[in-house]
Amino acid sequence: MIDPATLPSLPRLVSAPRFERYQQRYAGRSDLAVRLYAWNIELTTAFWGPVGCLEVFLRNAVHDALRHGRRDDWWNEPAVRLLVRERRAIDAAIRTLRDRGDPYPAPDRVVAATSLGLWVGLTDAGVPRDPLWSYETSIWQPRVVHAFPGLGHVRRKQLHRRLDDVRRVRNRLAHHEPIHTAPLELIRDDIIAIAGFIDPQAAALIDGAHRIDQVLLRKRAAVETGASVI
């Protein structure tokens, strides 16, 4: 293991504005700040696996619920009314695939190219009480709820809130932002719980294989001794 505090170029390589956010945590001490930065990377890598699993499980489960008894590109069904944000997300995925040389991407490729935000958005309320644009009545109750057979007494709005919290952390991971100030134990528990709503074995994989807890326990050693594992 290398102590990142022995590498004086790191603050410059990270960039001053980004590094300052770590320095503020330790009253300007660069040695502790750069160690925290390295530990944040370790934490990020620990969360990526569970978040990635949940993202795949979620989009496939919701996709299956929405295409059941329909064409696979359910978003082209006249009866499916999507708000602008979801329609744009699907259009963006199709456009990306076409730019990569696939003029007529298959539905499964479109699903794989979409962002997590699309699937989180499909658990939202849409336009509440609107006869055409209420996701609660047009998408959730007849379709999307079946993607979560283990939901029990958890309501749609509660599921959506938890999914949106995971989405926010996922975006911070993707942009290499600090996550060490987030409610990490809660996010970990939400990831496992939501996976369990989809399938108990999905939760079993994440719960039994993640290393988030070990990394959380390593924070003190990582910052005090510089024992970095990225």
Side-chain angles (χ1 to χ4, degrees), residues 184-214:
L184 299 171
E185 291 88 352
L186 179 60
I187 296 298
R188 174 205 60 207
D189 292 347
D190 280 347
I191 291 170
I192 296 169
I194 295 166
F197 298 155
I198 297 169
D199 191 295
Q201 294 184 24
L205 171 64
I206 298 173
D207 192 25
H210 78 79
R211 55 191 177 88
I212 294 170
D213 294 345
Q214 295 94 309

Side-chain angles (χ1 to χ4, degrees), residues 74-118:
W74 49 266
W75 48 87
N76 287 324
E77 289 272 3
V80 177
R81 296 181 178 87
L82 298 177
L83 297 179
V84 171
R85 66 189 182 196
E86 279 74 56
R87 182 62 64 181
R88 284 178 175 170
I90 294 172
D91 289 345
I94 294 171
R95 187 165 55 250
T96 296
L97 293 170
R98 287 175 176 167
D99 290 344
R100 293 174 181 171
D102 186 353
Y104 304 105
D108 63 322
R109 293 204 68 207
V110 174
V111 170
T114 55
S115 66
L116 177 60
L118 167 66

